[in-house]
Amino acid sequence: MEDAPLASLSLTHVHYNPADRISYLCAWLALVPQGLCVVYATLIWSNREIEIMLMFAGQMACEALNWCLKRWIKEERPREMHGKGYGMPSSHAQFVSFFSITLALFLLFRHVPHPTDTHTPFTFFQRFVLSVLALISAAAVAVSRIYLSYHTPKQVLVGCVAGTVCAVAWFGITTYLRRAGWVEWVLETELARLFRVRDLVVQEDLVDSGWARWVERRKRQRTLQVQAKKDR
């Protein structure tokens, strides 16, 4: 029997010009949404932060909207990529726009970290710089879609606008859920307690999570070791 023809997994199959270094870089930038999904899953599993869960829920809702818009508008991709699904709006541009805008809104308007004995959190200016870097990174991913001829400038622009609108709207919704007490109610449910869901990242940097307790434990261990040597 003849071997069956092989198929390409389109999730990560990116066309680029191997003789063009910028094209090669753009091919890697095309993998940013998949990488961010891995980051989401890792942070949710390791930190159980409800803020990250809410952000991921909004990200998936934004993706669902993109799926609907593409099948409603039904605009083809540029000629070089015809037959690879609809192109309006760009899902990559919409994805990274939602992520970067949501991250910027969180860092600038919701994240109020308090200093501890073991950690000095980022200042507002530093958080502003991080927000700008996130926006620049998102712009790079969006432009790469045009460079690789997967989308027209208009398709990318509409994707950026759609992602931005979704991000602002979702930030408003989650702000209401917090102020109305719905987030606090969820945190008190048995399911949230079972999965150890918490809400610390608003006032505590992720890098400081548990660090103060670890430092205190190490101090106690050293004290006990010194005391044990003295007792000998």
Side-chain angles (χ1 to χ4, degrees):
M1 295 180 61
E2 295 183 0
D3 294 335
L6 300 179
S8 171
L9 183 61
S10 60
L11 181 65
T12 58
H13 188 64
V14 183
H15 289 275
Y16 71 96
N17 180 2
D20 185 349
R21 292 184 178 181
I22 297 179
S23 181
Y24 179 69
L25 174 62
C26 289
W28 280 102
L29 288 174
L31 302 179
V32 167
Q34 289 91 335
L36 288 177
C37 285
V38 174
V39 171
Y40 272 124
T42 302
L43 290 178
I44 289 173
W45 177 255
S46 61
N47 291 287
R48 315 295 174 92
E49 283 285 344
I50 195 169
E51 182 68 22
I52 300 175
M53 296 179 186
L54 287 171
M55 186 174 176
F56 183 64
Q59 189 82 70
M60 292 299 98
C62 185
E63 280 294 286
L65 174 63
N66 180 269
W67 188 89
C68 294
L69 288 175
K70 281 189 173 182
R71 282 148 186 80
W72 177 50
I73 300 174
K74 296 182 178 180
E75 181 174 301
E76 293 291 343
R77 295 179 184 271
R79 179 179 55 82
E80 295 86 348
M81 296 298 169
H82 274 189
K84 295 186 178 298
Y86 298 121
M88 173 67 84
S90 166
S91 58
H92 278 70
Q94 188 167 329
F95 188 105
V96 294
S97 294
F98 178 93
F99 178 84
S100 61
I101 295 295
T102 301
L103 180 62
L105 290 172
F106 170 75
L107 290 174
L108 299 178
F109 299 105
R110 184 173 293 169
H111 188 45
V112 285
H114 299 308
T116 65
D117 295 336
T118 59
H119 179 70
T120 301
F122 284 160
T123 64
F124 181 84
F125 176 74
Q126 290 172 318
R127 298 200 301 274
F128 176 79
V129 171
L130 284 175
S131 301
V132 172
L133 290 176
L135 294 174
I136 292 175
S137 300
V141 174
V143 171
S144 73
R145 304 306 288 170
I146 301 173
Y147 194 89
L148 292 175
S149 299
Y150 273 90
H151 293 283
T152 65
K154 182 177 69 173
Q155 292 170 351
V156 167
L157 178 61
V158 172
C160 290
V161 171
T164 300
V165 170
C166 287
V168 173
W170 187 245
F171 188 80
I173 292 172
T174 54
T175 298
Y176 166 77
L177 293 176
R178 284 186 172 279
R179 292 179 177 177
W182 286 104
V183 171
E184 187 64 29
W185 177 81
V186 169
L187 290 170
E188 292 298 326
T189 61
E190 289 298 325
L191 187 62
R193 290 173 178 270
L194 176 64
F195 286 98
R196 303 294 191 268
V197 180
R198 61 190 187 182
D199 189 26
L200 294 175
V201 73
V202 172
Q203 295 183 331
E204 179 180 297
D205 284 350
L206 282 176
V207 295
D208 193 39
S209 179
W211 178 250
R213 293 189 296 275
W214 167 251
V215 170
E216 185 61 29
R217 179 185 298 180
R218 295 289 291 174
K219 286 182 179 179
R220 289 198 301 267
Q221 288 176 345
R222 292 191 184 99
T223 301
L224 291 175
Q225 289 173 355
V226 171
Q227 187 63 41
K229 289 180 179 180
K230 288 181 178 180
D231 293 341
R232 292 175 185 174

